[in-house]
Amino acid sequence: MTQIKPTALVTGATSGIGMSCARRLHAAGYRVIVTGRNPARLNSLKDELGADALPLLFDVRDREIAEAAVASLPPSWREIDVLVNNAGLALGLDKEHEGDYRDWDTMIDTNIKGLLYMTRAVVPGMVERGHGHVVNIGSVAGDAAYANGNVYCGTKAAVKAITDGLRIDLADTPVRVTLVKPGLVETRFSEVRFHGDTERAANVYKGISPLTGNDIADAVVYAVSAPPHVQVAEMLILATHQASGSVICRK
C-alpha cells in the first residue's frame, strides 16, 4: 500500500517567501496546496510541482470564500499537516497621521484577519486528528516600530501575539505553532509597498546582501521537520548586516 505524503497548505504562494515555501516543502516530501490571487502564477507553480501540488484561487481577506475554498478540497487533500500562514504585505511608508485608509484596511484585513480566517478553517481538523503544525510568517517589524512603519509594524506585532496565543491554546494538544520573523528579504515586498515604484523599491536593498525567500523557506522546513516533541516556537532571521528592523549597515 502506497503511503500518502504529508500535506502542507501555503497561503500567498504566488511569489516571494510563499512560493519558496511551496517549493522547499515539496522538495522535502510534502504535497502542497498553493493559494493566492493570481491564477497564472498558481497554474505555473502547479505545472512546476506536478501532481503533488493543488492550486486554490482565493483571497484570504474574504472569510466566506476562504472557508469555502478549504471545504472544497478533495477528500484525499483535506488532512492538512502543515499550515503556512504567509499571505501578507506592507503598503505605503507614510507618517501615521498622513496614512492612506485603504492601505490600512488592506494590511489589517490580509496580515491579521486573513491569518485568523485560515487558522480557524484548518486548525480544528489538526486538533481532531491529533497532529499538525502551524507556521505564521511574522516580521522583525513586529518587535519594534520603525519610522513610518506604524500600521504595518502594528499588524506584525499582532501576528506575534496571535501566534503566542494559539500556542498557549494548543498546549494540551500535539499541534505545534511556530512564528518565523524575517528581516530584510528581497522579494516583491517593497515593490508592492511602494505601489509598483520599482526604482524606490530597489533602493531598499542597496548596499546590503538581503535575505532571499529560500532562506526563510529553509527555516520553515527546519521547524516542521523537528521531532514531534520539539516545538520551535520562534525564529528571528536577519541579514548579516541588519541588527533590527531599523538598524542596517549599508556598504
Side-chain angles (χ1 to χ4, degrees):
M1 182 177 178
T2 303
Q3 185 176 1
I4 296 178
K5 295 179 179 179
T7 301
L9 188 155
V10 182
T11 67
T14 54
S15 66
I17 292 171
M19 184 175 286
S20 291
C21 285
R23 287 170 170 159
R24 288 294 205 256
L25 286 165
H26 179 265
Y30 283 82
R31 301 186 308 164
V32 186
I33 302 165
V34 289
T35 85
R37 297 178 297 160
N38 187 310
R41 289 181 182 171
L42 277 182
N43 289 331
S44 176
L45 190 56
K46 159 65 179 172
D47 291 342
E48 175 188 334
L49 301 182
D52 284 336
L54 178 69
L56 279 183
L57 180 68
F58 69 93
D59 188 334
V60 296
R61 293 178 295 174
D62 190 315
R63 179 179 58 82
E64 292 184 355
I65 291 178
E67 289 175 345
V70 174
S72 74
L73 289 169
S76 62
W77 287 82
R78 288 179 186 169
E79 294 191 0
I80 296 168
D81 301 283
V82 172
L83 168 63
V84 181
N85 277 316
N86 163 76
L89 75 170
L91 289 172
L93 198 63
D94 304 308
K95 294 181 184 298
E96 187 169 327
H97 60 284
E98 298 172 348
D100 188 314
Y101 298 113
R102 294 165 298 183
D103 287 349
W104 293 355
D105 287 343
T106 301
M107 286 187 283
I108 291 168
D109 289 347
T110 307
N111 300 358
I112 301 175
K113 294 167 71 175
L115 179 148
L116 287 169
Y117 295 157
M118 293 304 298
T119 299
R120 185 65 178 86
V122 173
V123 172
M126 293 180 173
V127 173
E128 183 179 347
R129 293 187 297 274
H131 174 75
H133 199 142
V134 179
V135 181
N136 290 336
I137 305 299
S139 171
V140 64
D143 288 347
Y146 55 74
N148 301 331
N150 42 77
V151 174
Y152 173 69
C153 294
T155 65
K156 289 303 184 177
V159 169
K160 157 71 173 168
I162 289 167
T163 305
D164 289 346
L166 181 65
R167 191 180 305 108
I168 293 166
D169 291 340
L170 293 173
D172 61 342
T173 79
V175 180
R176 300 182 291 180
V177 181
T178 298
L179 176 64
V180 177
K181 302 185 299 185
L184 198 63
V185 184
E186 188 168 13
T187 62
R188 293 186 62 248
F189 177 88
S190 292
E191 185 178 339
V192 171
R193 168 169 248 171
F194 298 128
H195 301 283
D197 187 336
T198 54
E199 182 177 352
R200 190 178 180 190
N203 286 331
V204 173
Y205 310 106
K206 281 188 175 179
I208 189 171
S209 295
L211 302 168
T212 69
N214 286 340
D215 296 324
I216 308 307
D218 287 342
V220 171
V221 172
Y222 170 79
V224 302
S225 301
H229 70 287
V230 176
Q231 180 171 217
V232 180
E234 187 170 308
M235 284 189 278
L236 173 63
I237 306 168
L238 303 176
T240 298
H241 294 293
Q242 178 178 18
S244 70
S246 57
V247 178
I248 300 170
C249 182
R250 302 179 188 274
K251 302 294 186 180

